Amino acid sequence: MNDVFWLDTGTGRPLVLLHGGYVDHGMWDDQIPVLASRYRVIAPDARGHGRSANATEPYRPTDDLAALLRHLGTGPAVLVGVSMGAGLAVDTALEHPDLVVAVVVTGAGTSEPYFTDPWTVQAMTAWHAAMAAGDLDASVEGFMAFAAGPHRTLADLDPRVVSRLRRMARSTMSKHAAGEPHLLVPVRDTWQRVAEIDVPVLAINGAADSPDHIAMAVRLAGAVADGRAVSIDGAAHYPNMERPATYHQALEDFLRTV
């Protein structure tokens, strides 16, 4: 596990916090000290993100996570993920069900997203074009569009949240270069398989997130045997950062039922 960084703090039921794409475990800074008073909180940096090494051979993030949880001897854990981390949580419930007792997702349904909303398609296209061109500044700003969502600008957000996201995105994007080999191996047929998930699932969405991101999380909650969805006003793709107290309340309400 030398090439993967993680935090492991607190004692009690294991709770795994999975960050979004192009950021790192620091997106959970508001949650970690609060949750660690009652749970064993594990917050890894995914391969190629934050303080974890870049991949050198083909890999599946779900297998990285499973190897870490087995290394730590957690037993079945609650997986809490935002965006990419939500897809990783669902992948792990499908591929390594013995390690998962419940799943919480935000802004994603599975690791196979799809986009039809015009704002989202345009924002995604501009962001990916900047990354393909190797323009770091434009890549970071393209990423930041999702922090505001389609109905706001970054000026509507707490400047501290904007600064934290921008710093994490620049740090992780700086580890990568345009045209580098794509070594991530996807988990396939996730949407066709989600009905297999037999643990409780909660979707916590920011009400100001893009319609596609909200809809995918709600679709997941409706496709599993025990799923529910809640919405947090005044937040977009990162409600845990924008409205930490409200997010924490929704999470704790769910954990009490698991």
Side-chain angles (χ1 to χ4, degrees), residues 7 13 29 32 44 47 58-59 65 72 79 97 118 128 132 134 146 151 168 181 190 199-200 220-221 225 244 247 254:
L7 285 180
R13 178 195 297 187
D29 281 354
I32 290 169
R47 197 179 291 261
Y59 73 104
L65 178 59
L72 296 176
L79 306 186
H128 286 282
F146 294 94
H151 312 295
M168 288 186 286
T190 52
V199 298
L220 172 71
Y247 179 90
F254 174 70

Side-chain angles (χ1 to χ4, degrees), residues 105-123:
V105 300
T106 293
T110 81
S111 60
E112 296 180 293
Y114 49 87
F115 301 104
T116 59
D117 170 68
W119 178 88
T120 315
V121 171
Q122 186 277 328

Side-chain angles (χ1 to χ4, degrees), residues 183-257:
L183 298 172
L184 187 150
V185 177
V187 176
R188 295 294 188 193
D189 303 319
T190 52
W191 283 110
Q192 290 85 341
R193 296 167 59 197
V194 288
E196 299 170 15
I197 296 175
D198 62 357
V199 298
V201 174
L202 171 67
I204 308 177
N205 288 312
D209 204 354
S210 86
D212 286 332
H213 287 108
I214 293 170
M216 287 185 284
V218 171
R219 178 184 171 188
L220 172 71
V224 298
D226 181 3
R228 67 209 84 164
V230 298
S231 186
I232 295 179
D233 289 334
H237 204 50
Y238 303 97
N240 68 301
M241 297 179 69
E242 288 201 74
R243 296 289 179 268
T246 310
Y247 179 90
H248 184 78
Q249 187 64 55
L251 180 59
E252 284 283 15
D253 289 348
F254 174 70
L255 292 174
R256 275 194 290 271
T257 71

Side-chain angles (χ1 to χ4, degrees), residues 15-20 28 44 46 61-63 65-66 69 77-106 108-112 187 190 193-194 197-202 220 224 247 254:
L15 197 62
V16 184
L17 303 179
L18 302 169
H19 64 77
W28 298 107
T62 183
D63 297 335
L65 178 59
L69 298 184
V78 178
L79 306 186
V80 182
V82 170
S83 196
M84 179 188 82
L88 173 54
V90 172
D91 281 352
T92 306
L94 291 170
E95 296 289 304
H96 303 282
D98 58 305
L99 294 174
V100 182
V101 74
V103 170
V104 180
V105 300
T106 293
T110 81
S111 60
E112 296 180 293
V187 176
T190 52
R193 296 167 59 197
V194 288
I197 296 175
D198 62 357
V199 298
V201 174
L202 171 67
L220 172 71
V224 298
Y247 179 90
F254 174 70

